Amino acid sequence: SMVTWALYAQPSVTVGPWTVVAGVRPFRHNAFGRDVTWELSTAYRITEQGPKLRAGYAQGFHAPTLNDLYFPGFSNPDLKPEESDNYEIGLDHAWLGGRVTTSASLFHREVDGLIQFGGSIPENLGETEQKGAELEFAADLGRGVSIQGHYAHVRAIEEPSGEELLRVPQRTAELALRYAPLERVSFDLRGSFVGSREDVGRQRLKHYHLLDAGVSVRLSRFAEVYARIENLLNREYQEIVGFPTH
């Protein structure tokens, strides 16, 4: 079994248009020992109702799972934890009295020992780098109709070879439309796009796009019934080489 003991503290302070948040997490993992991770972020409100600039840094620690270590035939008991440094800057803004929100971010992530399936078993890579940009928006169109979208462009490579990380698409996008004619009832339609990416053996998987639909009925504060149809247009695509999906 694996057990992690941890404490987490997150003080914050706001002075005028500035907000600063810090975090520290000392922990002990029964298999991988003790460590401490920390994070620091700040935000600056340009005007009272105007855009907000933000920036942040965070360390990460991710231990391999029990399946990664011990699943028969598909595991690696010599795996080490991943350790990462994450940087992000962004700009957020609300328009039309908050009915429309937009966000733009640039990010950079460096991971030492990334766990990746390069064949039948997981392996630790050396140093890897992921950097890119994200755009998000959400809008309340009135009469129970809302829309939101997301686009990301990522460059993910293994260093020093410069080879692409497996199964990390360079481009992804999503657009979702929601209609709630009643307080307890909602319908949603969600389209997604996943760009081409490399897989095992450096085989390149084609891009694909999907359309999903769903309905949700809230019965009470504690109960909800929902139904969902995935891949509504019955597109054929592959998330992993050799395993086509409909």
Side-chain angles (χ1 to χ4, degrees):
S1 64
M2 287 192 178
V3 180
T4 301
W5 294 269
L7 295 173
Y8 185 71
Q10 190 181 55
S12 64
V13 60
T14 299
V15 179
W18 287 96
T19 297
V20 178
V21 180
V24 61
R25 180 178 179 264
F27 65 91
R28 177 186 175 191
H29 193 286
N30 68 329
F32 298 108
R34 302 171 184 269
D35 207 340
V36 178
T37 59
W38 63 277
E39 61 186 67
L40 181 67
S41 63
T42 184
Y44 176 74
R45 180 74 68 179
I46 297 174
T47 62
E48 186 174 350
Q49 300 298 326
K52 179 179 69 176
L53 289 168
R54 52 184 167 78
Y57 166 79
Q59 291 182 325
F61 175 95
H62 175 68
T65 67
L66 287 173
N67 282 341
D68 291 334
L69 293 167
Y70 305 118
F71 193 85
F74 299 94
S75 60
N76 182 355
D78 297 323
L79 287 174
K80 305 299 182 185
E82 300 175 355
E83 296 183 351
S84 63
D85 295 289
N86 305 272
Y87 309 84
E88 183 173 331
I89 60 173
L91 178 66
D92 306 327
H93 190 42
W95 314 75
L96 303 177
R99 293 179 58 188
V100 177
T101 59
T102 55
S103 176
S105 304
L106 298 175
F107 62 88
H108 187 116
R109 183 172 187 246
E110 298 173 351
V111 184
D112 186 17
L114 179 71
I115 298 171
Q116 178 177 271
F117 274 85
S120 61
I121 65 171
E123 298 175 335
N124 285 112
L125 301 182
E127 295 183 358
T128 63
E129 178 186 69
Q130 300 180 47
K131 58 183 178 181
E134 291 183 309
L135 299 173
E136 297 179 296
F137 82 94
D140 181 357
L141 304 181
R143 298 184 179 274
V145 180
S146 60
I147 188 172
Q148 60 184 32
H150 172 266
Y151 172 79
H153 188 280
V154 182
R155 182 173 184 265
I157 61 171
E158 183 179 357
E159 297 180 333
S161 67
E163 293 184 322
E164 290 184 28
L165 291 183
L166 301 184
R167 304 189 187 106
V168 180
Q170 190 176 66
R171 295 176 296 148
T172 57
E174 185 174 272
L175 186 65
L177 180 67
R178 184 174 185 268
Y179 175 51
L182 301 173
E183 183 180 356
R184 295 172 177 261
V185 179
S186 64
F187 302 88
D188 67 89
L189 192 65
R190 185 178 303 270
S192 58
F193 169 83
V194 177
S196 64
R197 61 258 176 246
E198 290 190 352
D199 205 340
V200 176
R202 294 298 163 186
Q203 299 183 64
R204 181 158 290 277
L205 297 175
K206 293 182 179 180
H207 68 271
Y208 62 88
H209 49 86
L210 301 175
L211 186 65
D212 305 328
V215 59
S216 167
V217 180
R218 183 162 53 86
L219 303 178
S220 68
R221 291 175 56 192
F222 309 103
E224 183 178 9
V225 177
Y226 64 90
R228 189 161 192 83
I229 301 175
E230 297 185 345
N231 195 8
L232 188 63
L233 302 179
N234 197 31
R235 299 286 189 182
E236 183 175 343
Y237 64 99
Q238 286 191 84
E239 294 181 313
I240 302 174
V241 163
F243 293 89
T245 306
H246 288 276

